[in-house]
Amino acid sequence: MLPPDASRAALLEAARRYADGGGLLADLRRRVAHRTVSAPGGDTAPVREYYASEISPELRDLGARVRVLENPDPAGGPLLLAERHESDDVPTVLCYGHADVVAGQDGAWRSGLSPWELVVEGERWYGRGTADNKGQHTVNLAALRLVLTQRGRLGFNLRFLLESSEEIGSRGLARFAAEHAADLAADVFIGSDGPRLHAGTPTLFLGARGGLDIDLVVDLRDGSYHSGNWGGYLRNPATTLAAAVATLVDGRGRVLVPALLPAALPDEVRADLRGVAVGTDPADPAGDPTWGDPELTPAERVYGWNALEVLSMSAGDPQRPVNAIPGRATARLQLRFVVGTDVPGIPAALRAHLDRHGFSCVDVHVSEGFPAGRADRSSPWVRWAEDSLRRSGADPVVLPNIGGSLPSHVFSDVLGVPTVWLPHSHPGSRQHGPDEHLLAGVAREGLVLAAGLFHDLGEPALRPEPAAGARAPR
């Protein structure tokens, strides 16, 4: 029998061989072909087939009991929950991914590419879901299989959850978690979604920013009126709306309403973000150093603070403007917010702010997507994950949360499980758009790191002690 260090080294080498030999690519090629587009309240047959033909057999090969359960939200898709229980004396890990993808946008991909066929061009694996999220949960499933093959056991209890509504806001997931809390109890959560900091930087993140949609509407009259005959007399809703937005966020991206910001930037968050650079990959867009709060670094603005972005504004017919004052103007803004933001108080604060500035004619409609979530930085599981990645040869960056939104709050807040996210994608993956792709090198390294992480979870000498009551009840 190999000694522990040699056993771990052999596992990581097996992971490299599996990636280099085409096994990971073959797994993902089959899965990309399934058109599992989020369908709110619609056809769930594609995702059920994906569960039945791809995911369930793999989990059963891991010795797990698999169930496909209905979503408590009628607009949400089914969820798959699997469990392998080895012992009451080992920790339980809860893994997560999502089977759904955004619309294929078939006609918009570059010539020679299709959303439903994996195409390899050098380091890039093109196809819908390669980065978000089929490639990522495929990496983790392969890593679990490699550990079980080598060791004959995992050394921990496994719970694996796949949902099919993440791309439409994880509808029903929080309620599902509350109703199945005993089935999802765990010592640690390990999920893979979202991007690394950079393509070449292994990353751990502990949560996600939340997202709040803010619709502003200025509806003054039916129809439009000649701008010559009535200009200077009729209030222009577009001008009014632009001025109202400018009281919320200025021309340099600085949020002007204190109620839209967190109370403070915690010292531990500032410490984690010290020295972190944003947007350094060749394919990343160029940033503006003068944009956003000047007292914050770019990393603090993206990962530790709130941002208010104007997503769209509309008045009249932008494609065919005419000489007329429009009667109505609308804007969609989005607040990306971190833990520590008083989200319930935002609608009233916006109404009061606009009224104070003379914009009582601007209607405000606020709708929340994902809440913000963030694990405790002092959790021993965070240090354990960092140490594991270093044992595998990586030098990881730890982010308090990603800038985007994920249902991390469901696991950290609803279930109370320490959350550790290990992403296997990169910021330039073009997820949600045409030409989505996964980088082969990132997938290969992700498989090695995930295999090492699951190996170390099964080694008593390398893992934290499980919290009382977290192990799966029998």
Side-chain angles (χ1 to χ4, degrees), residues 191-420:
S192 295
D193 201 358
R196 293 175 163 195
L197 175 64
H198 313 120
T201 305
T203 303
L204 295 168
F205 61 85
L206 310 183
R209 286 202 291 190
L212 198 72
D213 289 335
I214 302 169
D215 289 308
L216 303 180
V217 179
V218 184
D219 193 352
L220 300 183
R221 62 188 72 87
D222 291 335
S224 301
Y225 288 82
H226 193 280
S227 57
N229 296 337
W230 295 99
Y233 176 74
L234 292 182
R235 173 181 282 273
N236 189 310
T239 307
T240 300
L241 182 61
V245 170
T247 72
L248 304 177
V249 57
D250 72 10
R252 293 188 176 180
R254 293 174 294 191
V255 180
L256 303 177
V257 185
L260 299 180
L261 295 172
L265 182 68
D267 290 341
E268 62 271 19
V269 171
R270 193 182 297 274
D272 273 337
L273 296 178
R274 189 172 295 119
V276 170
V278 178
T280 62
D281 283 345
D284 290 344
D288 183 343
T290 68
W291 187 260
D293 192 321
E295 297 183 0
L296 302 176
T297 68
E300 289 169 347
R301 296 170 201 164
V302 175
Y303 301 116
W305 206 242
N306 291 4
L308 183 62
E309 302 293 347
V310 179
L311 304 186
S312 67
M313 297 184 73
S314 178
D317 186 345
Q319 302 303 317
R320 292 179 295 276
V322 296
N323 298 326
I325 301 167
R328 189 173 191 269
T330 64
R332 163 67 63 89
L333 283 67
Q334 188 174 72
L335 181 72
R336 292 287 183 168
F337 62 91
V338 297
V339 170
T341 304
D342 179 17
V343 176
I346 285 177
L350 283 172
R351 181 70 274 158
H353 170 88
L354 292 170
D355 288 347
R356 281 197 306 273
H357 285 77
F359 295 113
S360 58
C361 61
V362 178
D363 292 329
V364 181
H365 308 277
V366 178
S367 55
E368 185 174 355
F370 287 121
R374 181 189 292 159
D376 184 354
R377 181 65 173 89
S378 64
S379 167
W381 288 105
V382 177
R383 176 57 60 85
W384 164 80
E386 287 183 83
D387 291 344
S388 175
L389 266 59
R390 290 194 176 95
R391 279 191 290 272
S392 298
D395 184 17
V397 167
V398 179
L399 301 177
N401 45 253
I402 57 168
S405 298
L406 294 170
S408 194
H409 69 286
V410 172
F411 309 103
S412 60
D413 299 341
V414 177
L415 294 174
V417 181
T419 52
V420 176

Side-chain angles (χ1 to χ4, degrees), residues 65 67 81-94 156-160 180-188 417 466-474:
R65 178 174 67 106
R67 292 180 287 165
L81 179 59
E83 179 184 0
R84 174 189 168 96
H85 184 83
E86 291 193 354
S87 170
D88 291 340
D89 299 320
V90 296
T92 297
V93 62
L94 173 61
F156 54 87
N157 301 317
L158 171 67
R159 286 167 169 178
F160 206 104
H180 294 82
D183 295 323
L184 297 170
D187 295 282
V188 63
V417 181
R471 292 173 179 147
R474 307 310 297 167

Side-chain angles (χ1 to χ4, degrees), residues 104-111 113-116 434-435:
Q105 301 169 288
D106 300 53
W109 289 57
R110 181 166 53 76
S111 176
L113 301 180
S114 164
W116 312 116
D435 304 348

Side-chain angles (χ1 to χ4, degrees), residues 112-134:
L113 301 180
S114 164
W116 312 116
E117 179 183 356
L118 197 153
V119 174
V120 177
E121 291 185 359
E123 276 285 289
R124 297 187 175 193
W125 296 354
Y126 287 96
R128 179 61 81 222
T130 50
D132 186 20
N133 174 259
K134 291 175 180 177

